[in-house]
Amino acid sequence: MAGPLTTAPQRVAVVGAGWAGLAAAVELVDAGHAVTLIDMAAQPGGRARSTPSTTLPQQDNGQHILIGAYRDTLAMMRRVGVDPDAVLLRTRLSLRDPQGRGLALGGGPATVAFALGVLRWQDCPWPDRLALLRLALGWRLGGFRCEPDQSVQEFAQGCPPSVYQALLEPLCVAALNTPAPQASAQVMLTVLRDALFGGPGSADLLLPRAPLDALFPRPALAWLMQRGVAWHPRRPVRQLRPAPGAGWQVDDLPPVDQVVLACSATEAARLVHPLAPHWSRQALAIRYQPIATAWIDAPPARWTAPMLRLSDGPAQFAFDLSALGGPPGCFTLVASGAADLAAQGAAAAGQALLAHWQRCFGPDARLRSVRIEKRATFACTPGLARPAARVAPSLWAAGDYVEGPYPATLEGAVRTGRQVALAVAASGAGQVLGMKSPST
Ligand SMILES: Cc1cc2nc3c(=O)[nH]c(=O)nc-3n(C[C@H](O)[C@H](O)[C@H](O)COP(=O)(O)OP(=O)(O)OC[C@H]3O[C@@H](n4cnc5c(N)ncnc54)[C@H](O)[C@@H]3O)c2cc1C
């Protein structure tokens, strides 16, 4: 919670009602500020939204996974009245494939759970298990730090191939949505630190068993509107300019004291271009990675876990939606870092994913639909300079791409939203909260 108001109430426009914008708005309202929330879409949620579909009552924009270490996201959900235990299925981290091969963790303190999981990893040769434990000890002793320009592949030199292929590579592409040869080892180490070696349960998988909308976006919007937030859906913001005197003019809306740009990096770059050229250039320099999700109908299966790791094909993970409150015999396949697949177009990508399914689980399957999000997340490459949260005085940016230790995730988005809201309050009081200034 932001705590009691220590500054004059600010009028704040939040542009973008994805998870970052919603988190910022909740924090701002709790601190007593007057918030206007604007989005070009009809509904909140951004990339983590659900929409009605022709084949399912509600279809998510793509299969999402949360983990126990998503501390701020889970806290935000609770703040707007959502019980995470009711909408998320919590399971221990399992990276097992359809044949039951792979690492699976048990319960207990994180380090103990990891060590026991490695020791019990039966299909991994003993020398490789011991090598992994030595590696993990090295990460820990090194403070989970490495050279900023190292890729995950370079960093993993010396890691046994079995461990690389069955653990580091799938974790990297799942968490960073960037293939290991191009992915930042430093960000990967941060994820490993917080997930595998955080508090108890931090590595747990939290799998949505309700549409993404119900996890946070809809309840957050209802919570905000009950508290007087002005909500403007279907309203693409076209222009941002300094208001006469002070503050900002967002299109033809009433002027505000501060603005939080929680829209995409590209849109934020466009809106601030003449005002903050360096920030704008940094935001425009970001590159993206696609994610493809295929929905498959197949005979109901009895899997050992709702999520299985796949290899030898474009998808890395398969999910049994019937174990997650979905219809029986409905599954998803997820291909992250899917630039090659996306380049083929949706129809060919769908067929490639269906063929991968059939190789893994048998021929009796039908492709229900496929969705390719070309700009699913930023490409989390080594040494990437991400734009700062402070764009200019009283102008802020929130979103998964904004400078921070995490890859593009719901947790990264929510954290920047919260931090920017706290900085808005502090800047209103003339304080500095440790947010970095841009060199415009
Ligand atoms: C297919 C897929 C799978 C993913 N899987 C996972 C996962 O398993 N786990 C995980 O943690 N993360 C996952 N992610 C990433 C996660 O969805 C994002 O990190 C998160 O949703 C980003 O939120 P955001 O608020 O920063 O941005 P966005 O969600 O992009 O929100 C930006 C909002 O701004 C609005 N907007 C843009 N321009 C304007 C404008 N000019 N005027 C008004 N409004 C505007 C947009 O409509 C949008 O609502 C996945 C993403 C995708 C696409």
Side-chain angles (χ1 to χ4, degrees):
M1 301 276 279
L5 192 62
T6 54
T7 178
Q10 303 279 297
R11 296 163 302 167
V12 187
V14 178
V15 179
W19 289 50
L22 290 165
V26 167
E27 200 72 66
L28 286 163
V29 165
D30 250 345
H33 302 294
V35 173
T36 303
L37 182 62
I38 312 153
D39 201 294
M40 63 197 288
Q43 81 283 350
R47 275 168 280 160
R49 66 177 182 277
S50 345
T51 41
S53 101
T54 49
T55 52
L56 287 168
Q58 284 272 80
Q59 188 161 6
D60 290 342
N61 189 37
Q63 177 72 51
H64 277 61
I65 312 171
L66 292 76
I67 58 169
Y70 280 16
R71 205 187 52 228
D72 284 29
T73 306
L74 297 172
M76 262 293 155
M77 289 166 68
R78 289 191 194 96
R79 265 166 86 173
V80 300
V82 177
D83 175 6
D85 293 335
V87 292
L88 297 167
L89 176 70
R90 183 180 276 265
T91 68
R92 302 288 179 212
L93 177 70
S94 167
L95 296 172
R96 294 222 165 112
D97 68 8
Q99 286 73 41
R101 296 171 304 198
L103 179 71
L105 302 188
T111 309
V112 176
F114 178 74
L116 287 178
V118 173
L119 292 173
R120 291 178 184 145
W121 184 358
Q122 288 185 353
D123 57 286
C124 184
W126 266 111
D128 295 3
R129 289 185 231 179
L130 297 177
L132 173 56
L133 290 178
R134 273 196 306 274
L135 275 175
L137 184 64
W139 301 334
R140 198 161 198 162
L141 292 176
F144 293 93
R145 301 219 54 89
C146 68
E147 293 300 325
D149 57 355
Q150 250 183 338
S151 72
V152 170
Q153 192 182 51
E154 287 161 356
F155 180 74
Q157 297 288 331
C159 172
S162 59
V163 170
Y164 184 70
Q165 283 155 18
L167 179 67
L168 288 187
E169 229 177 9
L171 269 187
C172 172
V173 81
L176 276 61
N177 190 29
T178 308
Q182 301 153 37
S184 160
Q186 183 53 67
V187 176
M188 178 74 184
L189 276 174
T190 304
V191 170
L192 289 173
R193 180 195 66 197
D194 291 358
L196 294 183
F197 304 100
S202 54
D204 288 354
L205 297 172
L206 307 179
L207 303 174
R209 51 181 172 190
L212 282 173
D213 255 9
L215 264 51
F216 181 58
R218 288 271 172 213
L221 184 63
W223 187 98
L224 290 166
M225 289 177 72
Q226 277 162 15
R227 286 157 182 80
V229 164
W231 163 234
H232 298 274
R234 295 191 188 86
R235 184 149 186 161
V237 169
R238 312 231 179 259
Q239 202 187 22
L240 178 69
R241 31 183 224 288
W248 297 95
Q249 185 76 49
V250 178
D251 290 340
D252 56 357
L253 291 167
V256 289
D257 304 307
Q258 309 212 28
V259 172
V260 176
L261 294 171
C263 48
S264 64
T266 320
E267 276 296 280
R270 179 183 67 75
L271 289 168
V272 309
H273 170 59
L275 307 161
H278 173 75
W279 194 97
S280 186
R281 271 196 303 279
Q282 259 191 340
L284 280 179
I286 288 174
R287 294 290 166 261
Y288 296 88
Q289 283 281 344
I291 297 179
T293 311
W295 283 260
I296 305 269
D297 290 322
R302 287 219 188 92
W303 291 2
T304 49
M307 180 183 98
L308 295 180
R309 174 177 59 85
L310 304 182
S311 48
D312 302 326
Q316 295 89 22
F317 292 100
F319 297 81
D320 179 0
L321 294 188
S322 71
L324 302 170
C330 188
F331 302 85
T332 50
L333 274 192
V334 177
S336 299
D340 293 345
L341 206 58
Q344 299 173 26
Q351 289 311 311
L353 288 167
L354 177 62
H356 192 189
W357 172 277
Q358 290 169 325
R359 283 199 300 281
C360 296
F361 301 107
D364 189 5
R366 184 181 72 88
L367 181 67
R368 190 190 275 242
S369 62
V370 64
R371 190 168 288 194
I372 298 181
E373 187 79 22
K374 286 197 175 148
R375 292 180 155 220
T377 70
F378 68 83
C380 191
T381 48
L384 177 68
R386 288 156 64 174
R390 184 178 178 278
V391 184
S394 69
L395 180 57
W396 309 90
D400 60 2
Y401 70 91
V402 168
E403 190 175 57
Y406 285 107
T409 53
L410 298 172
E411 180 70 2
V414 167
R415 282 195 186 194
T416 62
R418 289 200 60 222
Q419 284 164 4
V420 157
L422 297 173
V424 165
S427 79
Q431 301 165 3
V432 178
L433 262 190
M435 311 285 298
K436 286 193 183 164
S437 302
S439 47
T440 43

